């Protein structure tokens, strides 16, 4: 059964797609245009009642929330493709810890920056420069913690690539690309080396090539 992923043009669905590629799982995509408000269409709301991206359909099974989806596929196809959850209970604990850090510490400020700098004008809104500045300061403090962590291990959960690293790919790509704030990564030696490593994985290059 081929997995269908909704909204491949956007960051959170890309988090799912890169995981599927790492796990060697066949997938197809269905476009959803946020700017046109297609996420509020009744048919889409039947799949995702909150109107957010992404959603996957896998046969009769429907799942939303990108981090839930990547955990699901990393576990379901654990013996296939790249091992993304760690090999021991302790490694799994660290993967989960850094996935939570990404969701609760890294994501909020980078998401605010994304909305303000990349989407506000498309939605007919003015950019809130104070919010951008505040969010950048918050993100900088988070990246300082990452710099310390990555001075001691190659990846966030240890010396192995995992969901914890993968989950950072889509929004960090916005940061170094269209947001033109690559200095936030490059000013931190170990974060910079980590980003070069994870962003050059064939799976992520494939995502950028496709979408």
């Amino acid at each position: 059964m081929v997995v269908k992923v909704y909204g491949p043009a956007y960051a959170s669905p890309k988090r799912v797609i890169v995981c599927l590629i790492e796990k060697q799982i066949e997938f197809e995509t269905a476009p959803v245009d946020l700017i046109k408000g297609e996420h509020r269409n009744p048919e889409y709301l039947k799949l995702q009642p909150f109107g957010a991206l992404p959603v996957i359909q896998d046969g009769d099974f429907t799942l939303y929330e990108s981090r839930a989806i990547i955990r699901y596929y990393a576990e379901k196809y654990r013996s296939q493709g790249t091992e993304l959850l760690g090999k021991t209970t302790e490694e799994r604990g660290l993967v989960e810890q850094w996935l939570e850090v990404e969701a609760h510490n890294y994501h909020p400020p980078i998401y605010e920056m994304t909305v303000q700098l990349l989407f506000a004008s498309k939605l007919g809104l003015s950019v809130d420069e104070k919010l951008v500045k505040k969010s950048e300061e918050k993100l900088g403090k988070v990246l300082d913690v990452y710099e310390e962590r990555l001075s001691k291990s190659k990846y966030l959960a240890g010396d192995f690539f995992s969901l914890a690293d993968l989950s950072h790919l889509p929004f960090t790509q916005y940061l170094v690309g269209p947001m033109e704030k690559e200095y936030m990564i490059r000013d931190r030696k170990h974060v910079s080396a980590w980003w070069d490593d994870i962003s050059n994985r064939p799976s992520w290059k494939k995502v950028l090539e496709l979408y």
Side-chain angles (χ1 to χ4, degrees):
M1 189 66 67
V2 176
V3 179
K4 180 182 281 188
V5 184
Y6 287 79
Y10 300 96
S12 293
K14 286 187 174 80
R15 179 181 287 123
V16 171
I17 293 168
V18 70
C19 176
L20 295 175
I21 294 171
E22 288 281 353
K23 297 305 294 180
Q24 300 171 3
I25 299 167
E26 284 189 62
F27 66 93
E28 62 185 19
T29 59
V32 180
D33 193 325
L34 296 179
I35 305 301
K36 292 180 179 177
E38 291 177 356
H39 57 302
R40 294 191 290 271
N41 290 348
E43 288 303 309
Y44 186 76
L45 291 173
K46 288 178 184 177
L47 300 174
Q48 217 297 14
F50 300 103
L53 292 171
V55 177
I56 63 97
Q57 287 182 299
D58 191 344
D60 296 330
F61 183 61
T62 300
L63 191 64
Y64 53 82
E65 292 296 337
S66 62
R67 295 173 192 82
I69 296 168
I70 63 176
R71 285 176 166 109
Y72 168 73
Y73 282 112
E75 185 63 58
K76 183 177 181 179
Y77 295 94
R78 194 148 191 182
S79 62
Q80 178 176 311
T82 306
E83 170 57 71
L84 296 170
L85 294 170
K87 294 179 180 177
T88 66
T89 305
E90 289 73 23
E91 287 180 353
R92 175 66 179 267
L94 286 168
V95 171
E96 294 291 348
Q97 171 185 282
W98 285 99
L99 266 173
E100 292 296 311
V101 169
E102 185 273 324
H104 300 292
N105 299 89
Y106 189 87
H107 183 74
I110 203 170
Y111 177 78
E112 290 290 0
M113 292 168 70
T114 300
V115 170
Q116 292 298 319
L117 296 173
L118 302 186
F119 291 99
S121 61
K122 294 178 183 177
L123 295 168
L125 304 171
S126 57
V127 176
D128 186 336
E129 297 292 354
K130 286 184 179 179
L131 180 56
V132 172
K133 186 174 185 293
K134 183 179 179 182
S135 298
E136 185 170 333
E137 289 171 353
K138 284 183 179 179
L139 183 62
K141 289 177 181 177
V142 175
L143 285 169
D144 288 342
V145 175
Y146 280 41
E147 179 69 7
E148 173 64 20
R149 170 59 179 169
L150 293 165
S151 71
K152 298 172 182 174
S153 63
K154 186 176 182 180
Y155 300 101
L156 288 170
D159 290 324
F160 59 98
F161 178 76
S162 74
L163 290 184
D165 309 290
L166 176 151
S167 195
H168 289 79
L169 283 163
F171 281 92
T172 310
Q173 188 73 46
Y174 282 162
L175 185 75
V176 303
M179 275 197 259
E180 298 182 346
K181 293 188 180 291
E182 188 173 11
Y183 60 85
M184 295 193 73
I185 300 298
R186 297 305 174 200
D187 286 352
R188 295 166 173 88
K189 175 184 173 183
H190 298 99
V191 171
S192 182
W194 168 75
W195 174 248
D196 283 342
D197 184 307
I198 68 172
S199 65
N200 277 294
R201 291 184 70 84
S203 59
W204 184 240
K205 287 185 171 183
K206 184 68 172 176
V207 171
L208 296 181
E209 177 188 319
L210 289 172
Y211 309 105

